[in-house]
Amino acid sequence: MNVLTVHNLSKKFDHQVVIENLNLAIKEGEFVSILGPSGSGKSTFFNLVGGILAPDSGSILLNGETINGKRGFISYMPQTPSLFPWRTILQNVLLGQELHGKTDKEKAIHMLNKAGLGDYLSAYPDELSGGMKQRAAFIRALLSPGSIICLDEPFSALDELTRHEMQNWLLSILDDYRKTVLFVTHNIEEALYLSDRILILSDKPASVVKEVIVPFTRPREESLLLEEDFFKWKRDIHLVLKGLGSDSNGKND
């Protein structure tokens, strides 16, 4: 069953066409990454799915219902954790549920404990490290009632070791709490390691130019990153992006 379906989506700003006739479908429980050249419209696409922007044409369907220009239907986690500094960590992760009128404090505490944040329920964001803040922000998105989570380069500001730690943590959490995830990243390695499928966008105006079905089984182990087959897939995707005029080499930009 498709959770998210996008038909012939187009969006322009003034005379600049950013997205044109974009089509995709995300199945329930899938982890799908979006890769593309810098400035190709990935964040604009997320703003359209989240209802922050309305498309000029085309349709966005969530569980069969058109949500063009409608907010509150998805869970969204931006590049920065965006935790409210005056709320405790527990209060922050419950925010999405509060906005929908129902909270499950017991579940939130359980998930924070699993995330290694059990000792920080009453702490404030400025008392946490960058990785801990990202964990709290993801728990908030996971607890929100939306049927799909949109993650916009959530690990791009973290150092290499912390990013790998967060990737492994995210995989372990999703093994227990399977959710449908749409993930924007510039990092080829990250996309391959986390995803079931990768959609590669063209430069502006953005459309899907290639779909990669990731062949690696779950659960994923970090040793996968050093396997020859992993490097081959990484190289092949890099060549596709290079052909689109991208300067991506597997690193964030």
Side-chain angles (χ1 to χ4, degrees):
M1 174 183 176
N2 291 336
V3 173
L4 182 72
T5 306
V6 174
H7 289 302
N8 296 328
L9 196 70
S10 296
K11 181 66 180 179
K12 67 178 181 179
F13 298 101
D14 296 324
H15 300 293
Q16 175 70 62
V17 180
V18 179
I19 294 173
E20 187 171 48
N21 295 326
L22 180 66
N23 293 278
L24 59 85
I26 311 297
K27 295 182 176 65
E28 185 174 5
E30 271 195 306
F31 193 120
V32 177
S33 287
I34 295 179
L35 283 172
S38 295
S40 61
K42 298 183 293 296
S43 293
T44 297
F45 172 65
F46 263 22
N47 287 334
L48 290 166
V49 173
I52 297 171
L53 297 172
D56 296 323
S57 60
S59 58
I60 305 166
L61 290 88
L62 188 68
N63 297 317
E65 178 183 351
T66 300
I67 59 167
N68 289 20
K70 297 180 181 179
R71 302 186 186 189
F73 285 85
I74 66 161
S75 300
Y76 176 68
M77 181 177 166
Q79 295 179 26
T80 56
S82 300
L83 302 174
F84 289 122
W86 60 87
R87 293 177 68 110
T88 66
I89 298 306
L90 179 58
Q91 290 169 341
N92 265 289
V93 302
L94 287 170
L95 181 60
Q97 291 187 334
E98 284 180 19
L99 295 175
H100 287 81
K102 185 178 180 181
T103 60
D104 188 340
K105 185 175 179 180
E106 184 177 335
K107 184 178 181 180
I109 292 173
H110 172 74
M111 293 179 70
L112 285 167
N113 279 322
K114 184 173 178 61
L117 297 174
D119 293 335
Y120 297 89
L121 302 181
S122 300
Y124 291 89
D126 63 0
E127 300 175 56
L128 273 62
S129 68
M132 294 165 74
K133 291 177 185 177
Q134 291 294 79
R135 292 186 187 198
F138 183 74
I139 295 291
R140 179 180 60 193
L142 201 60
L143 284 168
S144 297
S147 54
I148 186 168
I149 300 176
C150 291
L151 305 178
D152 189 358
E153 297 189 76
F155 308 142
S156 61
L158 303 176
D159 64 79
E160 188 77 10
L161 289 176
T162 304
R163 185 164 66 247
H164 281 308
E165 178 187 325
M166 287 298 302
Q167 290 167 357
N168 289 325
W169 174 81
L170 176 58
L171 288 174
S172 70
I173 285 289
L174 290 175
D175 283 342
D176 292 339
Y177 304 96
R178 195 64 181 169
K179 280 273 193 172
T180 307
V181 177
L182 190 58
F183 188 89
V184 162
T185 180
H186 281 93
N187 191 302
I188 299 171
E189 181 178 284
E190 182 171 70
L192 273 173
Y193 187 49
L194 297 176
S195 307
D196 299 307
R197 282 192 297 139
I198 299 170
L199 302 177
I200 300 177
L201 299 187
S202 65
D203 205 349
K204 287 197 290 281
S207 61
V208 177
V209 295
K210 187 175 181 63
E211 175 190 71
V212 175
I213 299 174
V214 178
F216 309 117
T217 58
R218 296 187 185 276
R220 305 271 165 87
E221 302 292 340
E222 198 166 351
S223 58
L224 173 65
L225 300 172
L226 301 177
E227 292 183 8
E228 184 177 343
D229 202 30
F230 188 90
F231 282 113
K232 177 185 178 299
W233 280 95
K234 182 178 175 180
R235 182 177 63 251
D236 290 348
I237 294 172
H238 167 73
L239 291 174
V240 173
L241 288 169
K242 188 176 181 179
L244 296 172
S246 171
D247 61 357
S248 175
N249 61 0
K251 296 180 180 180
N252 292 329
D253 55 14

